[in-house]
Amino acid sequence: ALLPVALLLLSGCSATPEFKDPPLVDHRYTADPSAHAWNGRLYIYPSHDIPTDAPYPDEGGRFVMRDYHVFSLAQAGGAVTDHGVALDIDEVPWAERQMWAPDAAKKGDDYYLYFPAKDSQGIFRLGVAHSDSPTGPFTPEPDPIDGSFSIDPAVFEDEGDYYLYFGGIWGGQLQRWQDGRYSAEDRYPADDQPALMPQVARLSADMKSLAHPPKAVELLYPDGSPIVAGDNEKRFFEAAWVHKYQGTYYFSYSTGDTHKIVYATGSSPYGPFTYQGVILEPVLGWTNHHSITEFDGQWYLFYHDTELSGGKTHLRNIKMMPLQHRENGRIETVSAFRR
Ligand code: FUB
């Protein structure tokens, strides 16, 4: 968990790093913030981290979350309201453990919460729950979304259509799905072969099912070739997010074991997306996970680090900071630390 700070120190900054932004809340641990501006208010759908002594193998066994709380703000920098439990794992018939990073969508006056959890077989699936309020409580469907798998759902609305992005390697199990079928064996491509790509499917009109089987989202180098599995600085790990700026689609994601949030751009919500650069440098803590949303005419990056827990990777806190798109469409690289 201290690796990102060690890197910072090695990169020439000798003083103890100072955090740029305060945690948005400090009365509970929160992570993976998916933010949306709806009805003139900012709503944040994070994971709810809880303490545990569970071992911390590569499969993310310490992320033992069991419920979701929704948070909201009337203005950036203003008071943050915790709206209480929006969904508890005991209400989801198929879910047994590990409610990881969620997202939400608004369609008319209906709100949908999308979330991953492991079923009784230990397999990650994606669930959906409905509410007539952005803050819940949400009523879950009795079964996972048919055809869904892996983790980190993110929903992007474009011209009346809704697209569900998802996937994560290692603990997120994407490497166990080939041709839409699960196999308990981890199968990774060779380092010089195309990396495992995130998944996308358009949602059906009911927002509770996929309109077609998931497709791979192609992430490319500027020369048009696919990003390869051995390129840990650029290949997809988890935490997909899509936003649109001046007609261009921005696909951003975490590089996992190199701890960055990076982005690629394209001209369709299905991709392909061409790699552009780093949005957020490593934070304190192993995981890096974000969302990007415009609110009151300003774009913001929502992210997490482990300031409150003093570096415990499974006990994180959500934060936000302004994000700048440059005139050429590039995004300004930011750090969670002051330099
Ligand atoms: O919060 C659990 C997992 O950690 C998320 O699903 C990943 O994106 C990582 O942030």
Side-chain angles (χ1 to χ4, degrees):
L2 290 175
L3 180 65
V5 174
L7 289 175
L8 193 85
L9 294 173
L10 284 173
S11 70
C13 175
S14 54
T16 306
E18 211 185 304
F19 296 99
K20 202 182 270 177
D21 307 299
L24 285 172
V25 291
D26 60 9
H27 63 291
R28 63 180 78 253
Y29 292 112
T30 52
D32 310 324
S34 294
H36 296 276
W38 289 326
N39 316 321
R41 210 172 162 87
L42 202 49
Y43 293 93
I44 308 177
Y45 300 83
S47 301
H48 178 194
D49 285 351
I50 48 176
T52 177
D53 291 329
Y56 185 35
D58 281 351
E59 302 88 58
R62 280 215 164 175
F63 298 111
V64 293
M65 302 83 109
R66 298 190 59 83
D67 66 14
Y68 296 110
H69 286 234
V70 181
F71 299 84
S72 74
L73 298 82
Q75 61 196 44
V80 180
T81 304
D82 179 346
H83 295 276
V85 176
L87 181 67
D88 188 283
I89 198 160
D90 288 341
E91 298 162 337
V92 186
W94 62 268
E96 197 177 273
R97 60 199 154 104
Q98 292 175 291
M99 287 181 123
W100 286 12
D103 191 18
K106 174 186 192 313
K107 185 175 184 184
D109 293 330
D110 293 298
Y111 298 85
Y112 299 88
L113 181 70
Y114 298 87
F115 58 95
K118 278 186 183 162
D119 65 13
S120 57
Q121 312 292 308
I123 301 173
F124 267 119
R125 303 278 184 178
L126 304 182
V128 58
H130 170 265
S131 178
D132 55 14
S133 161
T135 58
F138 289 86
T139 304
E141 290 297 298
D143 297 305
I145 299 172
D146 197 26
S148 72
F149 51 91
S150 196
I151 60 165
D152 290 1
V155 180
F156 169 66
E157 181 192 353
D158 189 43
E159 296 173 13
D161 285 325
Y162 294 78
Y163 299 88
L164 177 68
Y165 300 84
F166 60 94
I169 63 172
W170 291 22
Q173 301 181 342
L174 187 58
Q175 70 282 0
R176 296 186 182 175
W177 289 87
Q178 310 269 339
D179 308 321
R181 275 180 307 141
Y182 180 82
S183 125
E185 186 196 344
D186 287 329
R187 283 186 284 171
Y188 293 100
D191 281 359
D192 62 350
Q193 293 302 302
L196 293 168
M197 300 290 174
Q199 304 289 305
V200 61
R202 190 164 51 78
L203 286 164
S204 304
D206 68 3
M207 299 292 278
K208 296 176 178 172
S209 54
L210 308 182
H212 57 76
K215 305 174 193 229
V217 176
E218 298 299 327
L219 299 175
L220 309 176
Y221 292 109
D223 70 2
S225 62
I227 292 179
V228 296
D231 189 352
N232 299 35
E233 300 284 328
K234 295 188 176 68
R235 63 96 169 84
F236 174 78
F237 191 98
E238 60 189 6
W241 187 262
V242 172
H243 74 280
K244 193 177 183 180
Y245 177 75
Q246 294 189 344
T248 295
Y249 298 86
Y250 288 70
F251 184 92
S252 46
Y253 57 99
S254 168
T255 60
D257 56 348
T258 51
H259 315 287
K260 294 174 194 157
I261 299 297
V262 300
Y263 74 108
T265 57
S267 56
S268 156
Y270 284 111
F273 297 98
T274 303
Y275 182 85
Q276 300 294 342
V278 176
I279 296 177
L280 177 61
E281 291 171 349
V283 300
L284 179 63
W286 197 95
T287 66
N288 205 345
H289 190 127
H290 72 301
S291 65
I292 294 170
T293 294
E294 188 179 21
F295 181 55
D296 267 351
Q298 169 68 54
W299 286 89
Y300 292 96
L301 174 71
F302 297 80
Y303 67 102
H304 67 223
D305 64 18
T306 56
E307 178 182 354
L308 283 179
S309 70
K312 291 195 175 71
T313 273
H314 65 296
L315 296 177
R316 301 163 288 181
N317 47 257
I318 56 171
K319 298 185 168 184
M320 64 188 281
M321 72 165 90
L323 185 85
Q324 311 300 340
H325 296 84
R326 291 194 212 132
E327 270 180 22
N328 61 5
R330 294 292 181 111
I331 293 178
E332 203 78 51
T333 304
V334 290
S335 168
F337 302 103
R338 284 187 205 287
R339 294 169 210 260

